[in-house]
Structures are given as structure tokens and as C-alpha cells.
Amino acid sequence: MADTAARDFYGATLDTPLMLGTAQYPSPAVLEAAFRASGASVATVSLRREAGQGQAFWEIIRGLGVRVLPNTAGCHSAGEAITTARMARELFDTPWIKLEVIGHADTLQPDPFGLLEAAEVLAAEGFEVFAYTTEDQVLAARLLDAGCRVLMPWGAPIGTGLGLNNPYGLRCLRAAFPAIPMVIDAGLGLPSHAAQAMEMGFDAVLLNTAVAQAGDPVAMARAFALAVEAGRLAHMADPMAPREMAAPSTPLPGKAWL
């Protein structure tokens, strides 16, 4: 039977398995409307990219009434990420931090070495680290050893909308650490991608571009809300396993033999 327990995120249980970013929306009003349509439990905020928008932006975020997950987006070294995390803790008064250390300019793939280095330092300082990582199981184990209690494997490169590029690797990662909260983060472009992630047993999804840059962000936010709920319900229902051979749904007993 599928695991139906709500996962604990550093002592917090999310009302919905959707986390939504706050960048790239056409206007603050659209950002607020999309958030409310999504029912998202968590708003991710980049200190580096959003701090220049002023007090009005922070008022909107506070008014959403959801948990804030600051991130270290745009950091390309462990030192840069550590400094940004410390600043974010002071500004947002939360130990939560989504830790990103980017290692490749084109794919924005996480730098595994810098990520692990920063995670060790921040966890030792009391941060509750949400590690943006790949589907690599060895790296996942090292991050857990470093003190991370939530992993955020990518679906595809940030902003591509490609969906789950490596379903096999993600399934293996989920199966290898069944008790660890995991959030699919980055690369989701369609509600069906989010539903697929939830069907695989991931605990939440995080997205931004797919909603913010849609023709109608509010409608797309609502579509993702429905998709994550459908995917979670499907996982809880213990879906049938795929098989190679056809199996008739109509029983043979009672068939008319001519």
C-alpha cells in the first residue's frame, strides 16, 4: 500500500503539496491572484533578485499568509550561498533556506561540491536546509549526513518546462530514501508534470516560471493546484503496476460462446 502519511518539513506539515515562486509575474496584482488560486503552502523568495522591489513587495508576500522559503538563487559558490543564507535569515526571521549553488551556466545544474560544503556549514549554524540537488543518490546521502532533512531534486533545468527528464533516476532516489521529505524543484512546465511527480511519491513540487510566464497565470496556478491534488490522491490509492501483456477487463464467465 502507498505511504499516505503527510511528510514533516522540519516540524511543519504543509496544507497543500505546492510551493510557488514569486519572480517574473506581470504585476504584483497577478502574483497575488495566482498565489491565491494555487493554494500554495509555501512562497519561495530570492533575496538577491527580489530585495530591490521594496516594502510593497514584502507586504504582498506577508499578506499571502503562507510560509516563506528564502533561497540562494544566483549563487555560484559555497561562500556566496552561505553569506546570502545568513542575510536571508536576518531579513525573514526563519531558519528555512532553499540552498542553491549553481555549477553550470547553461543548465544551472547544482554544483555538488559547493552544495555539500555550504550545507555542512549552514546545518551546523542551525539552518533548516532544503537542498536543491540532482537525482544523484550518492550526493543525496552526503547531504543527509551533513544535516539536510529535505531534498529538492530537479525535474529538469530551471525554467525549461521540460518536465521530469529522468523518471528512472527520480524513482530510484525516492525509493532509496523513503522517509525523507522530497520536493521536485525546477523544470516543470505543465500540470501533468506535477501530477506525475506526485504519483511517483514525491511530497511536493516547487515551480515558478510555468505559472508566472503563462498567458493566464491565475488559470495556470489553479490547474497546478488540481494537478498536485490529483497526483497525490493517485499515489495514495496504490495504482496498478504497468504490465507488458494485455489483460481483459471483462471477465470470461458469462461470455456467449457461439
Side-chain angles (χ1 to χ4, degrees):
M1 185 67 182
D3 179 9
T4 61
R7 205 72 70 176
D8 184 290
F9 291 80
Y10 290 106
T13 301
L14 304 184
D15 293 332
T16 65
L18 182 59
M19 302 180 180
L20 193 58
T22 56
Q24 303 178 340
Y25 289 84
S27 70
V30 172
L31 162 63
E32 185 173 6
F35 241 93
R36 300 201 184 283
S38 75
S41 294
V42 175
T44 61
V45 179
S46 168
L47 177 69
R48 293 168 60 91
R49 293 176 182 166
E50 307 290 3
Q53 296 198 29
Q55 188 64 28
F57 174 78
W58 304 128
E59 291 298 331
I60 291 173
I61 300 303
R62 280 193 287 267
L64 295 174
V66 300
R67 288 181 174 270
V68 174
L69 176 61
N71 66 49
T72 63
C75 294
H76 290 260
S77 71
E80 192 179 11
I82 291 167
T83 299
T84 302
R86 290 168 176 163
M87 293 170 63
R89 180 163 62 178
E90 292 296 318
L91 179 60
F92 296 105
D93 192 28
T94 176
W96 279 19
I97 191 73
K98 178 190 165 187
L99 180 60
E100 298 182 31
V101 182
I102 301 303
H104 193 275
D106 292 333
T107 64
L108 302 180
Q109 178 174 324
D111 172 359
F113 308 103
L115 176 63
L116 183 57
E117 179 185 348
E120 290 172 338
V121 171
L122 294 175
E125 293 183 3
F127 282 89
E128 295 174 347
V129 178
F130 293 62
Y132 171 59
T133 182
T134 66
E135 64 273 27
D136 187 298
Q137 291 187 40
V138 176
L139 176 57
R142 298 291 186 272
L143 289 168
L144 295 176
D145 289 343
C148 298
R149 294 293 173 263
V150 178
L151 299 179
M152 305 184 81
W154 65 347
I158 295 170
T160 61
L162 293 172
L164 305 184
N165 269 1
N166 185 5
Y168 170 78
L170 291 170
R171 286 194 187 93
C172 290
L173 180 67
R174 176 70 281 181
F177 305 98
I180 300 301
M182 291 190 190
V183 182
I184 292 294
D185 176 17
L188 303 185
L190 295 171
S192 57
H193 299 156
Q196 182 185 9
M198 297 302 297
E199 289 167 2
M200 291 167 63
F202 287 91
D203 302 291
V205 299
L206 192 159
L207 53 116
N208 189 161
T209 308
V211 169
Q213 295 191 351
D216 185 340
V218 178
M220 187 61 77
R222 178 60 179 155
F224 270 100
L226 296 172
V228 294
E229 183 62 18
R232 179 167 65 175
L233 289 172
H235 175 68
M236 293 169 62
D238 196 15
M240 64 171 285
R243 52 196 174 203
E244 296 292 333
M245 299 296 293
S249 58
T250 303
L252 290 179
K255 176 182 176 181
W257 297 94
L258 302 178

